[in-house]
Each structure stands twice: as structure tokens, then as C-alpha cells.
Amino acid sequence: MYLPSLLRGPDGAATAEYRPDGMFADEVPGTAGLDVRLLAGGQTIEFCSTPPLGVPLEVTRTVNGVDWKGSDGGEFLLITVSKTYRVTGSVTLAIVTERFIVR
């Protein structure tokens, strides 16, 4: 879980780059600028390779699903996002699947 936490958000982020709920503005694709709150809804990590030291890394985000949950006025969205961490243009290091509760 250390790799995804390190790569979460830009280095030296300014206050404006955070959402009111404390997540980075681009944490969940499609929610920037919306008056909603995001909560962590679970995470799985598949480690694929050992990360090399001193090599630039890249992350690709993909929205896998958006589902309505709850009932009787307690409805919320559950957004599932996959993040693939790679050595730039090369080896896959980890695939992180995260679920976010959107209220």
C-alpha cells in the first residue's frame, strides 16, 4: 500500500489542489467541480514487479464502474477506479483497484 500512497497526488500540492473532503482534485475521474464528498470504499492491490530506484513512474486511471447503492433516501454512488502504475512506457509495477463512495 506504500506505492499508491506515495504516488497519490502531485508533489508539493497547494491547498487549491485538494477537495473539501481532503482528497486530491483529480483523485476520482469525473468528480472534479461537483459538490460531493468522497469516502474511501475499499482497495485491492496486485503487485506485478519490483519498483526500480530512481526511475520515473506513470499512472493510468480507468473508471471501471459507477453503481447506485442504498435505498430510501440514503442513496449514494460507488465508483470503481483502477490505477495502473508503470515504469514510464514499460513494466507494470502494480494495479490498484479502489472504490469510492460519492455522497
Side-chain angles (χ1 to χ4, degrees), residues 2 15-16 18 27-28 42 55 59-60 76 92 97:
Y2 184 66
T15 300
Y18 291 94
E27 187 75 24
V28 179
V55 177
V59 62
T60 303
F76 59 92
T92 298
T97 302

Side-chain angles (χ1 to χ4, degrees), residues 34-49:
L34 298 178
D35 186 22
V36 296
R37 298 293 181 259
L38 301 175
L39 301 158
Q43 178 184 71
T44 59
I45 303 173
E46 175 188 349
F47 292 99
C48 305
S49 183

Side-chain angles (χ1 to χ4, degrees), residues 19 21 31 34-39 68-71 73-79 100-103:
R19 299 169 48 93
D21 55 24
T31 62
L34 298 178
D35 186 22
V36 296
R37 298 293 181 259
L38 301 175
L39 301 158
W68 279 105
K69 298 289 183 179
S71 62
E75 293 183 349
F76 59 92
L77 287 175
L78 183 65
I79 298 178
F100 295 93
I101 298 167
V102 182
R103 298 195 93 147

